[in-house]
Amino acid sequence: MKYLDEYREADAVMKYAAMIKKITTKPWNIMEVCGGQTHSIVKFGIDELLPKEITLIHGPGCPVCVTPLEQIDKAIELASNKNVVFCSFGDMLRVPGSKKDLLSVKAEGGGVRILYSPIDALKIAKENPDKEVIFFAVGFETTAPANAMAVYQAKQQGIKNFSILISHVLVPPAIEAILSSPNNRVNGFLAAGHVCTIMGYEEYYPIAEKYHVPIVVTGFEPVDILNGIYICIKQLEEGRAEVENQYSRVVDKAGNLHAQNIIKEVFKIRNRKWRGIGEISQSGLGLNDNYSEYDAEIKFNLNDIIVDEPSECISGLILQGIRKPFECEVFGKICTPEHPLGATMVSSEGACAAYYKYRNKMKV
């Protein structure tokens, strides 16, 4: 399969592993930002091919993981309303709120529907004028354009019974939050290739310069990731801190301008809370004033909810790269994918879920 098999080819994988070993002379900590990259690293055993001096740290780039507990509770409150059809991507249904999840609401007869596109929610709204149709708009810059387009089309078509519950977050402010933390131990980043497909990578230049840290735009297959690590280690060993693009077959510097324009048309940047981490300034998106009538939190007058994470869970430390899943006392014991306690076990892209699926918990 073109653009897939050649990036899993064993000879190429071993070639890059040998190149990394040859140039590595010091200990380095590299953070892969995206949960999809974490999943590949653990699935293919990429970290086990690296010299002992290199430590891979798993970052906060799993959209399901970082959706705050409070937003899940708001989604459950909305979905429990008999006058509401609550639409969501399927991976959000099992994410636990403080008391239950959306799948439980659906089992209890709630109007919960799984969709593959927010545009489909508009069709449901037009077909059900006596119902309020809400789409759960979560994720990073990758899902924001489609959600923005749904709101834009709703306004253009005069659809009044449609709104979105927003939990959009942005990658660059999260990287800055990690780098500015006194607990930071990250020397270099593998930036998420799909986010850069939308946004390009010019916004990383000031971060690399300010914190003197290499940022390498990287894909998701084993050869991509090892190539990205090689580029990053080469910079560190040479004392450089630049932005480079390993994923050039997909990403260009400016990104997708059409996608960026629809985001700018509909959304504005605002503070957002990240599950397990807390609020990060200017790290999320909300509807701008021209589209505020489609904000479900305003439309349904949802009150702020304050909920505490389970005290046993160290997801926040894992999302910041401070701890690893097997360093958690409840990992694989009372916290499993079937009964997750925290953010990094709730999604298949989460670091804890990846370790649980691909590594024997007694060995990790």
Side-chain angles (χ1 to χ4, degrees), residues 48-118:
E48 296 175 343
L49 298 174
L50 300 175
K52 66 179 186 316
E53 291 88 351
I54 297 176
T55 301
L56 295 183
I57 298 173
H58 313 309
C62 166
V64 175
C65 299
V66 299
T67 299
L69 197 54
E70 293 89 337
Q71 290 302 96
I72 305 296
D73 280 355
K74 289 176 183 177
I76 290 168
E77 180 178 332
L78 291 169
S80 300
N81 185 329
K82 292 182 179 180
N83 194 43
V84 164
V85 177
F86 193 86
C87 305
S88 171
F89 296 130
D91 54 2
M92 294 303 300
L93 266 63
R94 286 190 59 255
V95 181
S98 60
K99 296 179 181 176
K100 56 184 176 181
D101 56 30
L102 285 168
L103 198 60
S104 300
V105 177
K106 182 176 175 61
E108 293 164 1
V112 179
R113 296 198 193 184
I114 299 172
L115 300 183
Y116 293 100
S117 167

Side-chain angles (χ1 to χ4, degrees), residues 13-296:
V13 167
M14 298 313 294
K15 172 190 163 188
Y16 276 112
M19 290 168 62
I20 292 168
K21 184 176 182 180
K22 186 175 181 180
I23 64 171
T24 303
T25 66
K26 303 173 185 174
W28 301 112
N29 297 319
I30 309 298
M31 174 177 276
E32 83 278 0
V33 173
C34 176
Q37 292 168 332
T38 302
H39 191 86
S40 288
I41 287 167
V42 180
K43 178 180 179 181
F44 293 106
I46 292 171
D47 51 339
E48 296 175 343
L49 298 174
L50 300 175
K52 66 179 186 316
E53 291 88 351
I54 297 176
T55 301
L56 295 183
I57 298 173
H58 313 309
C62 166
V64 175
C65 299
V66 299
T67 299
L69 197 54
E70 293 89 337
Q71 290 302 96
I72 305 296
D73 280 355
K74 289 176 183 177
I76 290 168
E77 180 178 332
L78 291 169
S80 300
N81 185 329
K82 292 182 179 180
N83 194 43
V84 164
V85 177
F86 193 86
C87 305
S88 171
F89 296 130
D91 54 2
M92 294 303 300
L93 266 63
R94 286 190 59 255
V95 181
S98 60
K99 296 179 181 176
K100 56 184 176 181
D101 56 30
L102 285 168
L103 198 60
S104 300
V105 177
K106 182 176 175 61
E108 293 164 1
V112 179
R113 296 198 193 184
I114 299 172
L115 300 183
Y116 293 100
S117 167
I119 303 299
D120 291 339
L122 289 182
K123 182 180 178 183
I124 294 172
K126 285 190 279 190
E127 293 172 348
N128 297 272
D130 58 328
K131 295 283 189 180
E132 287 289 337
V133 178
I134 303 168
F135 187 79
F136 201 0
V138 304
F140 292 88
E141 293 91 332
T142 46
T143 54
N147 292 333
M149 180 58 74
V151 172
Y152 178 80
Q153 289 190 4
K155 190 175 183 67
Q156 293 296 308
Q157 297 172 25
I159 299 173
K160 301 295 185 184
N161 63 326
F162 171 78
S163 57
I164 61 175
L165 177 64
I166 309 166
S167 189
H168 272 305
V169 287
L170 303 171
V171 170
I175 290 179
E176 285 221 62
I178 290 168
L179 288 171
S180 61
S181 167
N183 298 317
N184 173 54
R185 60 190 183 106
V186 179
N187 302 120
F189 285 92
L190 306 183
H194 50 8
V195 170
C196 296
T197 302
I198 301 297
M199 303 305 292
Y201 52 88
E202 293 177 302
E203 58 189 346
Y204 294 122
Y205 286 118
I207 300 175
E209 181 178 2
K210 179 178 178 181
Y211 296 96
H212 197 68
V213 59
I215 301 176
V216 181
V217 180
T218 304
F220 301 88
E221 296 301 326
V223 172
D224 287 320
I225 293 171
L226 283 163
N227 188 12
I229 293 170
Y230 172 75
I231 295 169
C232 195
I233 295 297
K234 192 169 189 297
Q235 283 198 42
L236 288 167
E237 291 283 347
E238 295 174 354
R240 294 184 291 121
E242 302 170 5
V243 179
E244 292 190 73
N245 182 17
Q246 181 279 329
Y247 206 32
S248 59
R249 69 182 185 279
V250 176
V251 173
D252 64 38
K253 184 185 291 185
N256 184 327
L257 297 181
H258 294 294
Q260 293 171 32
N261 287 338
I262 191 65
I263 292 174
K264 291 175 184 173
E265 165 66 25
V266 173
F267 290 120
K268 62 182 178 182
I269 294 175
R270 50 161 286 183
N271 299 343
R272 276 283 175 199
K273 182 177 180 181
W274 296 54
R275 186 172 187 175
I277 297 177
E279 184 170 289
I280 301 176
S281 176
Q282 301 295 286
S283 69
L285 298 173
L287 290 173
N288 68 39
D289 293 344
N290 290 335
Y291 295 90
S292 60
E293 64 185 296
Y294 296 99
D295 188 329

